[in-house]
Amino acid sequence: GAGGVINRVTKRPLDSPLTAAEVSYGSYNAKRASADVSGLISETARYRINAMVENSDGFREGYHLDRYGINPVLELLPSSDTS
């Protein structure tokens, strides 16, 4: 029989600012763009946002791919006032 496991791991926010972007183009008019942004909101809160968009044709007639996604993460850290 067939089986599978879903393993979803998110990227955690960083202590220092991050801004990264990537763009690619390939065979069969394949296009992909992605962005990764992370930063501090305050001493006890930080964020990270990953986003992507992908569009492609294929070698088979009638095949077309359109995908997109966004993964926001907000991390709240305990402060010295937290009990």
Side-chain angles (χ1 to χ4, degrees), residues 20-49:
E22 184 177 316
V23 177
S24 63
Y25 182 83
S27 302
Y28 303 103
N29 203 29
K31 299 174 286 288
R32 179 180 166 90
S34 63
D36 187 359
V37 180
S38 183
L40 296 172
I41 297 172
S42 68
E43 289 182 11
T44 59
R46 52 191 177 183
Y47 69 93
R48 188 160 186 174
I49 299 172

Side-chain angles (χ1 to χ4, degrees), residues 8-82:
R8 180 169 162 88
V9 178
T10 59
K11 292 183 176 182
R12 294 186 60 201
L14 303 173
D15 292 329
S16 57
L18 169 74
T19 304
E22 184 177 316
V23 177
S24 63
Y25 182 83
S27 302
Y28 303 103
N29 203 29
K31 299 174 286 288
R32 179 180 166 90
S34 63
D36 187 359
V37 180
S38 183
L40 296 172
I41 297 172
S42 68
E43 289 182 11
T44 59
R46 52 191 177 183
Y47 69 93
R48 188 160 186 174
I49 299 172
N50 283 280
M52 61 77 67
V53 62
E54 187 172 13
N55 178 290
S56 177
D57 295 324
F59 66 91
R60 294 182 309 247
E61 188 174 326
Y63 174 83
H64 185 76
L65 172 71
D66 277 316
R67 280 199 296 195
Y68 55 90
I70 185 165
N71 189 33
V73 177
L74 176 64
E75 187 172 74
L76 303 175
L77 306 170
S79 70
S80 59
D81 297 332
T82 304

